[in-house]
Structure formats: C-alpha cells, structure tokens
Amino acid sequence: MHLLSTKQVTKTSELDNLFSQANIMRNPWQYGIDPVALARGLVLGIVKDEGSTRTRVSFEVAMKRLGGDVTLLELDKNSSIAKGETVEDTIRNMSEYVEAIVMRHSKKGMVKHCSKFSQVPVINAGDGDGEHPTQALLDAYTIHNEIGRLNNLSVMLVGDLKCSRTVHSLIHLLSLYNGNRFYLISPKDMQMPQEYKFLGMWHVEHEEIDGVLNEVGRDIDVVYMTRFQRERYLSNEEVIGYLNRPKSESLIESIASSSDKSYYTLSEHNIKCLKPECRVLHPLPRNSEIPISFDSDPRAAYFRQAKNGMYVRMALLNNYFRKKDFFSKGLSTP
Ligand code: NCD
C-alpha cells in the first residue's frame, strides 16, 4: 500500500482518523501508550536525490520517537548509481532491508514508477513538480488545528503554483470539503496546472497579491506562500554548466547568482489587511516570501506547521506498521 498522491484520499473521515492519531502522538503517555514500543526493531529507509531538511528530519525523528531506526541513501556518487545501477534495482534492494521506504526524487512520476519494484510500502516525499502528499496531510492538519475546520475557508495560494508540488497535493485535500474558495496568485506562466484543478472548484486567478487583499483581505482564512522553484527551471545548458564547475561551487549558489527571482513577498501593507484569525502557512524553505519580522506574529503558523509534520508522520508510520490503512481501498491504485 503505497502513498503516492493525495488523490488516494477520498473521504474526509480518513483525514479525521489520521488527525486524531496525530493528536495522540503529541502526548502518547497521556493515553497509556509507550511510543517507543510502536516501531521497536523496525527500520525505515529514506531514499532521495535532492535536498530535504524538514521532510527528511521529521520522518527520521518520527521513526526514532516510535522506537525504530532509519537508514538514509542518497542517490549520488556514493551510491551504486555511480556504478551504473538503476534506481529501480536500488529500490528493489532497499525494500529487502527495511519495513517502509520514504522516497524523494527530482523527476515527476519517478516515485510511483519505483514503487512497483518495492516489496514494502513506498511513501512519496516529493516527486519533482508532481506531488508531496505527506506535506499536504500536515498542512491540512495544521489548518484544522489552527482554525478549527477545513470547510468554508477562503484560501490564498501564492507563488509558483506550477511547480510547487505541495499545493498540488493540498488543493485536492481541501477540495474534499464543502464551501472552500481558492484565490490562486501566481505569475501567468506559473499558474496551477489544469490537472490539479478539480471540476467545479470555486477559484479565481490573479497575478498580484495586493489587489486581492485590498478587496477581500478580511475574508481570507489561510495564506499559503510558496517559493519560486528555481531548480525546476534549469535548462540543460545550465545543468551541464553546473556539472563542469569547480567542485566548491554549490548548485544553489550558481543558480542564485544567475537568476535570483522571488516573485512574491508578503508586505507590511498585505499583513495589515489580514484578520487576526487568519493563518499564514509556508511549507518552507522560504526565500523572501515572508519577512522574518512576521515570525513572532500569532498569525505566522509555519514553524508550528513544520512541527506538526513530525506528529502526522508518526501517526502515518505507526499505521503502516500496524498494517492499518487510513485511506480507502483506493490507496494502492492512485
Ligand atoms: C517543499 C518541497 O520540498 O516540496 N518543502 C518541504 O518538503 N517542506 C517546498 C519547497 O521546496 O519549496
């Protein structure tokens, strides 16, 4: 039973179930549960070919808090990929050693493809500009915790909606609830792809934050900021140029110097338009979408959101190991 896309979630009760278990993971002793007994003796494999801070660390810590262990495999020059081994064979082998695999890959569809070669459940931790289902689960959990509901919300999704995989996964989850309205703010060439806009979804598309907030700022319940996904826009020439660079220069440095664009920043004026109950989320990492001065504002929910990721992933992993599925039977066939 792999978790590859939020499209596998078809009923809101599946989320209720996950969220109540994530709540238990905040303080399991209170419920008479010894968390380190839940995954004792089990090992989680993390396989990835691109950067990760929160997803990797929170999965790792979640597993350790459940009493299990983790092994990390980077698909780089230190793995047998450098000797010509295929990613498919790598996953097949990894699945002989561990109880579940968390996989992040820079190519859309690659995690789903590789899951076919695994003997154990594979969890998509981000596939290129495709999806990032566990991030969306923790985003929805955060909205539920902060606002108290997941229906009748006005949600502003801002930034690179074309390549930000977190919003692709999140918009589906929120679309399971009635009455949600989406303000999609992005440059014209970075709009939300059609495949993620469900039929009949109430949405408007804009290029500027200001106009929307000036008009309906007091109605907005959630502002979800994303960064410009510059790594998805690299041309072949840029990649080759990077590979030929002196070893000390990092990819991010070389890209930052060539095209440092951050399209949207939440300005002081924008912030003034938001009501006290509004919450600002960001999957992080941020570039300059949200000023650091906003971090201490009660409406800034992004660090609580990152912490929630650990509890949601504890709940998710525990269910995998208990062989229970949160999600409907559709889970295996996204
Ligand atoms: C996101 C990702 O990797 O898609 N980060 C995360 O997992 N928390 C967002 C991003 O990289 O912009």
Side-chain angles (χ1 to χ4, degrees):
M1 287 288 181
H2 308 299
L3 176 55
L4 304 170
S5 161
T6 51
K7 294 221 166 98
Q8 293 167 254
V9 184
T10 56
K11 294 196 292 277
T12 59
S13 58
E14 296 162 344
L15 293 178
D16 295 341
N17 192 0
L18 176 69
F19 295 169
S20 40
Q21 298 201 34
N23 286 339
I24 293 172
M25 291 303 173
R26 287 180 176 276
N27 190 359
W29 299 274
Q30 192 190 319
Y31 299 88
I33 297 169
D34 176 10
V36 296
L38 296 175
R40 190 176 285 138
L42 305 181
V43 182
L44 177 71
I46 302 181
V47 181
K48 63 186 197 65
D49 80 337
E50 60 170 41
S52 178
T53 298
R54 278 146 293 272
T55 305
R56 179 183 71 78
V57 174
S58 64
F59 261 118
E60 203 168 309
V61 173
M63 193 61 186
K64 290 182 177 175
R65 286 186 189 275
L66 296 176
D69 212 334
V70 182
T71 184
L72 171 69
L73 179 67
E74 298 274 1
L75 299 172
D76 63 10
K77 61 178 179 1
N78 295 315
S79 74
S80 289
I81 293 282
K83 301 179 193 169
E85 185 167 42
T86 61
V87 187
E88 292 87 340
D89 268 2
T90 306
I91 292 295
R92 172 69 213 244
N93 273 270
M94 187 64 143
S95 76
E96 301 291 344
Y97 299 137
V98 298
E99 274 69 35
I101 293 175
V102 165
M103 183 178 186
R104 169 169 288 192
H105 200 278
S106 50
K107 202 167 153 223
K108 181 180 176 182
M110 196 59 175
V111 177
K112 182 177 179 183
H113 169 72
C114 286
S115 69
K116 297 182 185 130
F117 298 84
S118 174
Q119 308 295 300
V120 298
V122 173
I123 300 171
N124 180 3
D127 62 320
D129 59 2
E131 282 210 46
H132 193 347
T134 64
Q135 178 70 39
L137 292 171
L138 75 91
D139 293 342
Y141 176 69
T142 302
I143 296 171
H144 188 260
N145 266 10
E146 298 275 337
I147 300 185
R149 64 176 197 279
L150 282 164
N151 59 348
N152 297 322
L153 295 169
S154 288
V155 181
M156 208 165 119
L157 301 173
V158 185
D160 182 354
L161 304 184
K162 180 175 172 223
C163 291
S164 289
R165 53 199 177 196
T166 68
V167 291
H168 300 165
S169 292
L170 180 61
I171 202 159
H172 171 74
L173 289 187
L174 294 180
S175 75
L176 295 172
Y177 296 83
N178 291 330
N180 288 333
R181 298 152 72 93
F182 300 98
Y183 295 86
L184 306 177
I185 319 285
S186 71
K188 273 225 152 45
D189 55 355
M190 293 186 191
Q191 285 179 345
M192 176 77 73
Q194 208 53 43
E195 65 178 297
Y196 303 111
K197 292 182 197 155
F198 65 95
L199 213 63
M201 173 177 102
W202 190 102
H203 71 286
V204 288
E205 294 183 301
H206 279 275
E207 283 188 78
E208 302 290 334
I209 303 182
D210 291 20
V212 174
L213 283 187
N214 288 342
E215 214 177 297
V216 295
R218 303 301 285 183
D219 297 335
I220 300 292
D221 300 295
V222 177
V223 176
Y224 190 103
M225 302 295 290
T226 65
R227 70 181 172 91
F228 170 48
Q229 307 279 306
R230 46 167 91 80
E231 67 273 36
R232 309 276 172 240
Y233 296 88
L234 279 177
S235 66
N236 275 345
E237 292 72 33
E238 278 173 300
V239 173
I240 291 162
Y242 162 69
L243 292 175
N244 292 333
R245 268 163 201 275
K247 281 203 174 59
S248 61
E249 239 178 296
S250 77
L251 177 60
I252 291 303
E253 277 160 5
S254 67
I255 300 166
S257 57
S258 65
S259 61
D260 189 23
K261 290 197 252 176
S262 186
Y263 281 95
Y264 296 101
T265 301
L266 218 49
S267 69
E268 248 173 66
H269 172 71
N270 295 152
I271 290 165
K272 281 205 185 96
C273 296
L274 303 174
K275 60 188 174 187
E277 307 78 37
C278 177
R279 289 294 177 268
V280 177
L281 276 72
H282 193 310
L284 304 175
R286 74 174 143 191
N287 291 164
S288 50
E289 300 82 41
I290 305 173
I292 292 171
S293 58
F294 184 64
D295 292 357
S296 52
D297 190 297
R299 292 169 293 182
Y302 30 93
F303 292 118
R304 295 192 290 276
Q305 178 187 1
K307 185 166 188 171
N308 287 340
M310 180 174 71
Y311 299 123
V312 168
R313 288 171 173 134
M314 284 173 81
L316 197 63
L317 289 172
N318 180 43
N319 272 260
Y320 267 111
F321 300 140
R322 304 273 82 73
K323 304 255 187 289
K324 272 193 253 154
D325 289 318
F326 281 118
F327 309 118
S328 59
K329 296 288 170 265
L331 187 66
S332 58
T333 51

